[in-house]
Amino acid sequence: MKNFAALFTAVDQTTKTNRKVAALAEYLSSASETDRMWCIALFTGRRPKRAVTTTQLREWAAERAGIPLWLFEEAYPIVGDLAETIALVLPPAARKSDEDLSHWINFLRGLSNVEQEERRALIEDAWNQLGDVERFLFNKLITGGFRIGISQKLMTRALSQATGREEAEMAHRLMGTWSPETHTWLDLVEADTGADLSRPYPFYLAYQLDDPPEELGEPKEWRAEWKWDGIRGQVILRGGEHFVWSRGEELMTDRFPELARLKDFLPEGTVLDGEILAWRDGPLPFNTLQARIGRKNVPKKLLAEAPVALAAYDVLEWQGEDLRYAPFAERRAQLEALATDLPKDAPLHVPEQLSFDAWNTLKTMRAAAREAQAEGVMLKRATSPYLSGRKKGDWWKWKIDPLTIDAVMIYAQQGHGRRANLFTDFTFAVWKGNDLVPFTKAYSGLTDAEFREITTWVRKNTVQRFGPVRQVTAEHVFEIAFEGIHASPRHKSGVALRFPRVSRWRQDKPLAEANTYEDLLQMLETYG
Amino acid sequence: MALTFTDRGIYCPTGDFYIDPWRPVERALITHGHADHARWGHMSYLCTDVAAPVIQHRLGDISVQTIGFGEQMDINGARVSFHPAGHVPGSAQIRVEVDGEVWVVSGDYKLQKDGLSEPFEPVRCHHFITECTFGLPVFTWAPSAQVIDEINAWWSANAAAGRSVILGAYGLGKAQRILANVDTSIGPILTHGAVEGTNGVLRGQGYDLPDTTLVTSETNRKAYPGALVIAPPSALGSAWARKFGQHETAFASGWMRMRGVRRRRAADRGFVMSDHVDWPELLCAVKETEAENIYPTHGYTDIFARYLNAHGWNANVVPTEFGGEQLDVDEADTTPESAA
C-alpha cells in the first residue's frame, strides 16, 4: 500500500497534469500486475464489493477516537468525506505494514466471510498499522467513490504512456464491464479478441459555445439539432443482446425496459448514441423523466405514465463496423436510413435536424428551444469524426440563456469539503407583501473573492442560529439563474426550480427591488 | 460579573476597559498584534512590552502603555495581568480579577512550542473565554519539528531541480516561526514586504531570525534559483508570484489538514502548521484552567460548546468578530487607512 499511497500523494500534491500523468505512468510500469489492474479499476470507478456498512464504520471510528458519535457526525459534513474524516480522527497507528494494494483489497473481499465482531476487530487492526494516507485510501476502498483528481482522460494518457499504445484505443479498452477479478492485464490492454459484447465506445462530449456562432465559419459546414434535456445514453445491440450505457458508464439496461424492443427493429452490430427522453407523441418535460431516474425496477404504472424512448443523434457502429471515423454527415445519413419505416410506437426516434442557411435563422430557432422541450441547440461540423471525451472544435452546445430572478438572501450555511471554512450555501426568498417567502437554495456562481466577502458579512450579520444554519439580515440581492420551473407540492413556496444557482451578486440592486412571489408564479405559468 | 460581552467587545465594568475590542473605545487591552485583535482607533492601548513594537509598527501613531508578562496592574479596582499565550511573539492571555472572581481571556493561543513565541502558560480561573478556531477532533497537529522537516524536504527537492518555492504564511507569527526553524543551508530566503516589515521589528527586539532578502520592484527574481520565498497567502498565484519564473507553491496553515481546503486553494503543497490549539490541546488547556464556565468565542463554537456541556462544563457561545486563522483573509495588512 505504501507505493500506492506514494502515487496518491504525488498526484494529490500537484496541480500540474503532466506530473500527475508521469506519476501514474511510472506506477503502471513498475507495480505488480494485480496492483496495476486495481489501480486502473479504482480510478475508473470500479471497486471491490462493500463488506462493511458506513454506519458501522462511523461507530467504530468514533469509539476508537474516543469521541461521541454525534461529534463525529458533526465533523463529517465539515470535512466532506467519510473516509477522510475517519482517517483524521483515529489515533496514530501503532505499527507499520508492508503489504501491497492487492493484499488490502483481498483483505476486504475476505471480510464478507467472517462474523460481525471479527470483522470489526480486523478493520481496527488494519487502521492500527496503516499510515495517515494509507488509512485514508484503505477507507476509500471500503466507502467507494475514488474521485481524487484523476479523470478517465488522465488515466488514459498515463496508460498510453506506460504501454506505448494509442490513447484512443486505451480509452475504448477501459470502457464497460471489466474487473481485475475477471480480467488480466493482457486482456485489458493488449489482447485483440474476446472484448466484451457490452463494451461501449467512449462518449464524445461538446464544449459550451461562448463566442458568437459567426466565428465558427460558414453555416453550410455545420449541422444543427435540438439539445435535449434527458439522459445521454449509448444503446448497443450485439450478439442477440442489448445494453444501455449512461455517460457515467453505468449500465442502465434494466432501468429502461422499453428499449429492449429495439432488437425487433434493428440488426445486430448496431450502436446508437442519443438522449433518453420521456416520450409520448413527442418529448415530455424533464420533470416526467425525473420519476424514472434512479428507479432500478419500474412498476407498470410508472411505465405507462412516463414511457421513454431514445432520441438518437448518431450511429457509432453499423453491421458490426466501427463508424466513428466517418464524417458526421455520413453517419447521420446512415442513422436516418436505418430509422425509416419504423412503426410509430417504436422506442426510437431520429428527430429532424434544424435547417438553417444563416446564423441569424438559427438564433431565432434557438430562442424557441424551450417550447420544443429542448435546452438549446447542438452544433456539429458536417465533417467531424466521433472523437472521445470533451474536445474543442467540432461539436458545440449552444444553450439558451437561463431564466433568472432577483432574490434576497435570508439564510446562510457553511460549505463543506473544498469550501469548509466559507459560507457558500444560501437560501433565497422573494417578496410577498412585506414578507419574504423562501423558494430555493442555491450554491456556486460566486467568485472566491465574493465568497470571502459574503463570509465576513454573514459572520457580522447573523440574526439567529439554527444549528449550522444562520438567519441573516435581509440586505443582499442575488440573481438566481435556473433552467426550468414547475409546481411542487413538496416545497413550501409551491414551486421547484431546475438547476438553480447564483449567477451574480446584485450589489447595485436595493432590497425592495428584488422580485416578488407574484413574479415567480407568473414564471411558473409561462414556463412550468 | 468581572467581564461582560458587548457589541464593542469583551468589557470590564469595574475597570472600564475592553479586551481586543472591534469598535473604537477609550481603553483597550490587547492580547496580540493580529488585525482582528489589535484594531485601529482606540484612545489608549495596553499590551505586553514584547508585543508593543509590532502593534505600533502596524497601527502607527497610537498611545501605548506596556506591561511585562506576569506583572500585576490595578485598573480602577480590577486586577489585571498578562500571561504568555504561545501564539506569536509577545502574545498574551489576559487575566482579570474582580472581588476574587477570576476571568481569563485566551486571545489566540497554542500549546506547541514554536522556538520563537514565549511558551503558553496555563492560568487558573473561574471563567475562561477561549478561541476554538480548530475545535473539532479532526484537527490534530503533528510535532512542529516533523512539519519543519517536511518543509525542508520540499524546499531542497525543488532547489535541487532549480526551482524556487513560494510558501504562503501569515506575516506575523507563522512567517517568523518558519524562518527561525528551516534549514538555511538549503538556499537563499526571500521575503515579501508584508513579512519583512515584521521581521525587522522582531530582529530589533532581539529575536534571532536568519538573513532574508526583501523582494522589491528592482529585485531580479530569477537570480535566486532554489530560493525559499515567504509571502502572505494572498500573494500566491498573483502577478507578484508569477515573476519568479518556474516555482512551486505551498501554504502553511491548520486548514491544510483538510484535503478539500488544500485543493480549493490550488497550491502544490499544504503544510499542516498552525499557531492555534488543535483539539487535544484545546481540551488540555480548558482542563488546566480548572474553570467551570467556558465561553468559546470563534471557530467551531457551537459544536465545541455542546461537547463541553455534555462533559460537565458550563459552556456558552459568545459571538465575537475575531477571525481566528483565516486562510482566505490576509490578517496582516490593516493599516490605519484601510481600517478607518
Side-chain angles (χ1 to χ4, degrees), chain A residues 8 12-16 19-20 66-68 70-71 74-75 78-79 84-85 87-89 132 136 147-149 414 417-422 448 452 456 459-460 465 467 470, chain B residues 39 136-138 140 158 163 247-248 255 257-269 279 300-303 306-307 310-311 317 319-323 326-329:
Chain A
F8 168 78
D12 201 44
Q13 281 179 351
T14 182
T15 48
K16 298 176 182 77
R19 275 199 227 169
K20 289 186 188 183
I67 56 173
W70 70 261
L71 182 54
E74 288 280 353
I78 293 168
V79 175
E84 186 184 349
T85 311
L88 291 179
V89 300
D132 282 355
F136 166 65
R147 260 180 243 108
I148 52 175
Q414 289 200 42
R418 291 161 81 94
R419 289 172 163 170
N421 49 359
L422 294 173
D448 268 10
R452 290 199 285 274
T456 309
R459 289 212 175 97
K460 290 184 183 167
R465 296 177 184 220
R470 295 180 179 214
Chain B
R39 292 176 195 248
L136 281 182
V138 295
T140 53
N158 278 292
R163 282 191 296 266
H247 66 270
E248 285 233 336
W255 291 109
R257 178 87 171 141
M258 285 203 272
R259 197 174 153 255
V261 180
R262 211 159 63 222
R263 291 170 61 78
R264 177 166 60 80
R265 288 313 309 246
D268 296 301
R269 285 293 298 269
W279 175 259
Y300 293 101
T301 48
D302 299 297
I303 298 172
R306 179 174 166 196
Y307 180 87
H311 289 80
V317 174
T320 64
E321 293 186 15
F322 303 137
Q326 285 179 285
L327 196 59
D328 297 287
V329 182

Side-chain angles (χ1 to χ4, degrees), chain B residues 77-158:
Chain B
R79 206 197 295 173
V80 170
S81 54
F82 287 55
H83 305 268
H87 177 56
V88 297
S91 70
Q93 312 168 68
I94 298 178
R95 179 185 186 277
V96 178
E97 182 177 346
V98 176
D99 298 332
E101 188 183 279
V102 180
W103 289 64
V104 168
V105 179
S106 76
D108 292 333
Y109 67 109
K110 70 171 178 290
L111 273 52
Q112 255 188 348
K113 292 186 180 58
D114 63 18
L116 211 57
S117 310
E118 301 73 19
F120 175 89
E121 282 174 16
V123 181
R124 285 180 53 189
C125 57
H126 304 108
H127 301 266
F128 186 44
I129 303 175
T130 179
E131 64 133 325
C132 61
T133 304
F134 294 109
L136 281 182
V138 295
F139 294 108
T140 53
W141 313 146
S144 207
Q146 184 184 320
V147 184
I148 291 292
D149 286 348
E150 289 171 15
I151 294 175
N152 284 335
W154 170 71
W155 178 16
S156 63
N158 278 292

